[in-house]
Amino acid sequence: MDKGSFVKDKVVLVTGAGGGIGRDFALALGAEGAKVIVNDLGTSMNGEGRDVARAQTVADEVVAAGGQAVANGDSVADWDGANNMIRQAVETYGRIDCVINNAGILRDRFFFNMSVDEWRAVIDVHLNGPFYISRAAAPHFKAQESGSYIHMVSTSGLIGNLGQANYSAAKLGLAALSKSIAMDMARFNVRSNCIAPFAWSRMIGGIATETDEQKARVARLQKMESSKIAPLAVYLASDAAKDVSGQIFAVRANEIFLMSQMRPIRSMHTAEGWTPQSVAERAMPAMRPSFYKLDRSQDVFDWDPV
Ligand code: NAI
């Protein structure tokens, strides 16, 4: 495919595209010939407030760069809003080819202090929202026998992180939703994949910079430009990725990773059946060497971004 036409005439909805990673998706998709629905509610990072101008500004940027785009200010956490986004795509451009579930908020808190509202708000945007958007697009994808879903997940969910029980649970749930969609819709030639990004955006911009060690860490994080995530997303939206589905990728600056998925790693069996005592005496000692540590994302990705 020629540069500038990788996703020519594909109609792509990008949620939360008024800034950060989503804005770079919109710009890259527009530059590669897509017609982009730039959705953004325009909230603060913890999901408060609303500003429709944010989506419009990015749509204007895409158009100014020679691309095609319209803005949408609905919330992904609202079933009617999700349907409205898909309707707008179909009414404006005649079809929908790809949705990128990217909108996000954070309500970080240690689990033992997390309120029900903090739990619900994050599950609504990161798990219920992607279900609503994906489900609203499904009849179109099924009827046209094509379509691509891209879901932004996180190593906070795939690996772990402190103080993010709501977010981690939503993101690992989203990875499972993606796999389910990939399986249920394979018969209609529809694909579903995840990207776990690492990017310097307002979402991680609040990291403390008090100590020298923290300052050095933030300087390293700033190398992870949000625009580095876009090439993989544009590829996954395109027909070049027609045989790629059910996968979880990660992108960090110039690195792209294929992430593992859950598989059994050790098994024990007994002819007599297990008792609590034999679990303690035989199963656990055999499995313990393969136990996972309480790793955080940064313990696994423990080298500097390339
Ligand atoms: P960001 O905060 O810069 O952008 C998120 C956008 O989503 C904001 O413009 C916000 O207004 C919008 N939004 C929030 N709630 C919405 C709603 N209900 N409906 C529509 N739009 C809404 O965040 P960033 O860093 O660009 O993140 C994009 C995605 O990537 C998120 O899903 C995030 O969880 C994920 N991610 C980002 C990482 C990073 O290193 N930046 C790491 C792992 C995952």
Side-chain angles (χ1 to χ4, degrees):
M1 255 167 281
D2 297 337
K3 184 164 167 29
S5 59
F6 215 81
V7 280
K8 189 163 168 43
D9 294 332
K10 293 224 180 272
V11 180
V12 184
L13 165 64
V14 187
T15 70
I21 297 167
R23 171 178 169 273
D24 285 305
F25 286 172
L27 292 171
L29 286 159
E32 289 289 350
K35 299 166 178 168
V36 189
I37 314 297
V38 178
N39 158 264
D40 205 290
L41 189 58
T43 67
S44 68
M45 212 174 57
N46 64 7
E48 273 149 13
R50 188 171 194 149
D51 177 9
V52 283
R54 189 129 28 107
Q56 189 61 55
T57 302
V58 174
D60 292 345
E61 282 183 272
V62 174
V63 172
Q68 298 183 66
V70 289
N72 171 287
D74 289 308
S75 172
V76 299
D78 174 32
W79 172 235
D80 290 337
N83 279 284
N84 199 40
M85 290 177 214
I86 303 297
R87 193 176 317 116
Q88 188 180 351
V90 173
E91 281 175 10
T92 311
Y93 295 125
R95 55 186 290 125
I96 179 80
D97 295 292
C98 175
V99 301
I100 306 186
N101 283 313
N102 170 79
I105 62 167
L106 287 178
R107 296 272 176 98
D108 291 359
R109 185 94 58 200
F110 278 113
F111 171 70
F112 43 84
N113 289 327
M114 187 170 284
S115 71
V116 171
D117 279 351
E118 286 163 344
W119 170 263
R120 280 213 185 108
V122 168
I123 298 289
D124 270 348
V125 174
H126 286 284
L127 187 56
N128 290 333
F131 170 78
Y132 297 150
I133 307 280
S134 302
R135 180 63 186 81
H140 300 277
F141 285 6
K142 182 169 174 273
Q144 75 202 18
E145 299 208 333
S146 72
S148 171
Y149 291 104
I150 301 170
H151 315 275
M152 304 312 287
V153 297
S154 171
T155 56
S156 290
L158 302 174
I159 297 170
N161 205 2
L162 289 164
Q164 293 199 309
N166 46 5
Y167 182 73
S168 300
K171 290 300 200 186
L172 196 54
L174 181 53
L177 174 63
S178 174
K179 178 79 184 283
S180 297
I181 294 171
M183 292 196 294
D184 285 356
M185 297 198 73
R187 74 194 76 174
F188 308 119
N189 203 27
V190 173
R191 302 176 293 103
S192 181
N193 293 285
C194 295
I195 302 175
F198 293 83
W200 180 254
S201 74
R202 70 174 192 172
M203 210 170 248
I204 57 173
I207 293 175
T209 51
E210 281 148 27
T211 66
D212 285 348
E213 196 195 333
Q214 286 170 338
K215 283 189 188 127
R217 176 159 177 248
V218 164
R220 286 199 301 275
L221 293 176
Q222 283 173 335
K223 281 207 309 205
M224 308 182 308
E225 295 161 62
S226 58
S227 61
K228 298 280 187 178
I229 321 294
L232 176 62
V234 173
Y235 164 79
L236 289 172
S238 80
D239 293 336
K242 64 180 188 310
D243 59 348
V244 181
S245 192
Q247 305 307 311
I248 305 172
F249 302 96
V251 182
R252 192 178 72 148
N254 291 327
E255 299 165 291
I256 293 188
F257 308 88
L258 176 64
M259 298 299 284
S260 64
Q261 299 189 29
M262 303 289 188
R263 296 291 181 272
I265 54 169
R266 279 264 166 132
S267 97
M268 294 283 291
H269 73 269
T270 164
E272 317 84 72
W274 294 100
T275 63
Q277 194 180 18
S278 64
V279 168
E281 286 172 0
R282 285 164 52 208
M284 283 306 130
M287 292 194 282
R288 194 174 299 280
S290 300
F291 278 7
Y292 290 95
K293 289 191 294 210
L294 293 178
D295 283 328
R296 301 162 302 170
S297 170
Q298 68 206 69
D299 299 321
V300 173
F301 287 87
D302 62 352
W303 67 99
D304 284 354
V306 178

